């Protein structure tokens, strides 16, 4: 069954460092998303991406965050200068352009900022 | 406003039936989803309702009333492995989905 893959599974970084989280969405999906989940809290929307541009972004997605689709398969989330409160699980998800519009999530990247 | 409400926690016994409710106020309705999330793992899709009524999928069923902004997930013949969080997700704008806080279900032997 097709799946969304994410790397790394776990990253530990120092406050102020840049982090890039990578995702390979399902190949025929056209909508891409990043969500985050702070430990014990709900899954929060960060950003959606379609047709090589951001469709929507949340208040969380400030100037420290950026997304990119550098080639035909990867979708990345960059955090420019990490803060302690960025520690969370980051989930990438993708969705087809037609049909049931079901989000399929990757296994997540756990980011720990020290 | 965009809001999805679910109970925080529920407990049920193995073999029993449990109903997890979800009320929502979101814009641009495009379906109401239920996901299961085990601790430390990604949400996995369970069910999707776009029309009013009941959708049945084995031991899991989901119901939707769009006029009331209400959905529920029904789990039958509960098993220990059903202990997880159950997330209700609804649309907020076009092709953007927001999640409720999730309902943590504990299944007891």
């Amino acid at each position: 069954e097709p799946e969304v893959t994410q790397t790394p599974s776990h990253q530990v970084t120092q406050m102020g460092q840049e982090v890039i989280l990578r995702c390979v969405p399902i190949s025929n999906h056209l909508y891409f998303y990043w969500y985050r989940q702070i430990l014990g809290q709900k899954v929060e929307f960060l950003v959606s991406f379609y047709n090589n541009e951001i469709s929507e972004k949340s208040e969380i997605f400030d100037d420290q965050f950026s997304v990119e689709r550098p080639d035909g398969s990867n979708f990345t989330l960059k955090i420019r200068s990490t803060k302690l409160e960025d520690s969370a699980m980051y989930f990438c998800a993708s969705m087809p352009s037609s049909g049931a519009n079901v989000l399929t999530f990757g296994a997540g990247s756990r980011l720990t900022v020290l | 406003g965009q809001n999805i409400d679910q109970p925080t926690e529920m407990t049920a016994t193995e073999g029993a039936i449990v109903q997890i409710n979800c009320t929502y106020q979101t814009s641009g309705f495009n379906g109401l989803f239920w996901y299961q999330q085990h601790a430390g793992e990604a949400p996995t899709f369970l069910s999707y309702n776009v029309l009013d009524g009941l959708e049945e999928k084995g031991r899991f069923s989901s119901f939707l009333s769009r006029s009331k902004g209400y959905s529920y997930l029904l789990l039958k013949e509960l098993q220990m492995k059903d202990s997880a969080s159950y997330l209700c997700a609804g649309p907020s704008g076009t092709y953007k989905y927001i999640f409720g806080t999730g309902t943590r279900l504990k299944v007891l032997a």
Side-chain angles (χ1 to χ4, degrees), chain B residues 15-18 56 58-61 74-79 82:
Chain B
I17 299 173
V18 71
E56 296 191 71
R59 294 191 298 116
F60 295 77
S61 304
L74 195 70
L75 293 81
K76 302 175 193 171
E77 301 168 20
L78 280 174
Q79 302 173 9
D82 297 330

Side-chain angles (χ1 to χ4, degrees), chain A residues 11-21 36 62-65 77-88 90 110-114:
Chain A
Q11 181 150 359
V12 181
T13 190
Q14 296 289 327
M15 194 168 55
Q17 295 296 304
E18 176 183 283
V19 157
I20 297 176
L21 306 178
R36 82 168 184 194
D62 61 20
D63 292 343
Q64 293 298 315
F65 290 88
L77 174 70
K78 182 192 289 186
I79 309 174
R80 197 162 297 125
S81 177
T82 50
K83 303 190 274 287
L84 295 176
E85 53 265 37
D86 293 328
S87 294
Y90 289 80
R110 179 168 298 285
L111 176 65
T112 302
V113 182
L114 303 176

Side-chain angles (χ1 to χ4, degrees), chain A residues 33 35 37 56 100-101 103 106, chain B residues 30 33 35 37 42 48 95 97:
Chain A
Y33 302 82
Y35 284 83
Q37 188 174 33
E56 289 188 67
N101 298 324
L103 281 171
Chain B
N30 196 27
F33 297 81
Y35 284 80
Q37 186 180 31
Y48 168 64
Y95 300 116
Y97 294 90

Side-chain angles (χ1 to χ4, degrees), chain A residues 31 33 35 37 40-45 48 55-58 89 91 95-97 99-108 110, chain B residues 2-4 30-31 33 35 37 39-45 47-48 87 89 92-102 104:
Chain A
Y31 293 88
Y33 302 82
Y35 284 83
Q37 188 174 33
Q41 298 187 24
K42 70 176 183 179
V43 175
E44 298 176 291
F45 170 80
S48 60
S55 306
E56 289 188 67
K57 58 184 180 179
S58 71
M89 184 75 101
F91 292 110
M95 191 169 74
S97 61
N101 298 324
V102 174
L103 281 171
T104 302
F105 284 84
R110 179 168 298 285
Chain B
Q2 298 153 358
N3 206 35
I4 295 180
N30 196 27
F33 297 81
Y35 284 80
Q37 186 180 31
E41 297 183 12
T44 54
F45 170 73
S47 71
Y48 168 64
L87 317 181
S92 174
T94 307
Y95 300 116
K96 170 189 163 187
Y97 294 90
I98 61 171
F99 286 78
T101 53
R104 194 163 51 246

Side-chain angles (χ1 to χ4, degrees), chain B residues 9-20 59 73-84 86 103-109:
Chain B
E9 200 167 291
M10 298 181 73
T11 304
T13 306
E14 199 174 13
I17 299 173
V18 71
Q19 178 174 312
I20 302 173
R59 294 191 298 116
L73 179 70
L74 195 70
L75 293 81
K76 302 175 193 171
E77 301 168 20
L78 280 174
Q79 302 173 9
M80 299 298 288
K81 67 177 183 179
D82 297 330
S83 292
Y86 291 86
T103 299
R104 194 163 51 246
L105 175 66
K106 293 182 189 174
V107 180
L108 306 176

